[in-house]
Amino acid sequence: MFSEKLQNAINDQIAFEFHSALLYKAMQAYFEDEDLPGFANWMDVQFQEELFHANKFFTHVAEAGARARIMPIEDVPNEFSSPLEVFRAALAHEQIVTARIGKLMDIAREENNHAAQIMLQWFITEQVEEEASAGLIIRKLERVEGDGRGLLMLDQELAQRVFTPPTDA
Ligand SMILES: [Fe+2]
Ligand SMILES: [Fe+2]
């Protein structure tokens, strides 16, 4: 069973995952408006992944016999100035998420909550991937800077991304 401390921290994280989902949706809107449908698609997939994360925490709480609370969700920015700025913001955001997951793991360890540790392990691996994929796109954007053709090629590449619910989760 959960301690109140861990329960509250997970409730906060559920809200933060919904916040992440909305942040990516706002980024998608920016790319739709910039006529970059591939980038917009990438953000839509990211949005769906974040909903999946929120639900994974939610389900864990329910399966552990506790009750999740849906907390208020922070506002997200709607103004962005360039694709590079968007992806730098996405990476900075994922770094915050990684730190938060680390703190959740610290609490689960202190409390010897093994089930929560196993669930959080998945998120720790997922965050390595999240940071790597945003970082890779940043480096590609830095290379194509000012080159409209390069940007369109990258847009085509990002159009290929599809959301597939993880089978190991
Ligand atoms: Fe997430
Ligand atoms: Fe994420």
Side-chain angles (χ1 to χ4, degrees):
M1 199 49 166
F2 285 110
S3 70
E4 210 179 308
K5 185 180 176 187
L6 186 57
Q7 175 71 72
N8 289 339
I10 291 179
N11 286 338
D12 274 351
Q13 189 58 28
I14 292 171
F16 205 77
E17 297 291 346
F18 281 126
H19 166 71
S20 302
L22 295 184
L23 174 66
Y24 289 120
K25 210 62 182 165
M27 290 173 171
Q28 180 187 351
Y30 165 78
F31 285 121
E32 302 281 6
D33 193 46
E34 290 288 305
D35 297 319
L36 291 166
F39 281 90
N41 171 66
W42 195 94
M43 288 298 172
D44 184 38
V45 172
Q46 202 63 25
F47 164 75
Q48 292 176 71
E49 278 199 13
E50 299 303 348
L51 292 180
F52 179 88
H53 295 165
N55 209 45
K56 185 171 166 68
F57 279 114
F58 182 93
T59 303
H60 179 80
V61 172
E63 283 178 354
R67 181 174 171 176
R69 300 230 158 254
I70 301 303
M71 313 292 283
I73 300 167
E74 275 174 59
D75 279 353
V76 295
N78 273 295
E79 302 305 327
F80 303 98
S81 63
S82 71
L84 190 54
E85 189 218 334
V86 172
F87 274 89
R88 283 182 178 149
L91 177 59
H93 183 78
E94 290 300 338
Q95 287 165 341
I96 292 168
V97 176
T98 301
R100 293 180 66 109
I101 302 283
K103 280 189 188 137
L104 285 171
M105 182 61 109
D106 291 343
I107 300 172
R109 283 225 176 103
E110 279 162 24
E111 298 182 354
N112 290 319
N113 186 328
H114 299 137
Q117 287 178 50
I118 290 167
M119 182 267 300
L120 289 163
Q121 197 115 42
W122 183 87
F123 279 100
I124 287 172
T125 309
E126 172 72 4
Q127 282 311 118
V128 174
E129 218 174 276
E130 291 276 68
E131 288 191 31
S133 62
L136 182 64
I137 297 169
I138 287 172
R139 289 193 297 282
K140 288 182 178 184
L141 280 168
E142 283 168 348
R143 273 200 202 168
V144 303
E145 220 191 351
D147 169 15
R149 253 188 83 181
L151 189 65
L152 290 182
M153 279 175 66
L154 191 49
D155 190 61
Q156 281 173 14
E157 186 188 321
L158 299 187
Q160 307 305 312
R161 190 182 188 204
V162 283
F163 175 67
T164 35
T167 49
D168 63 336

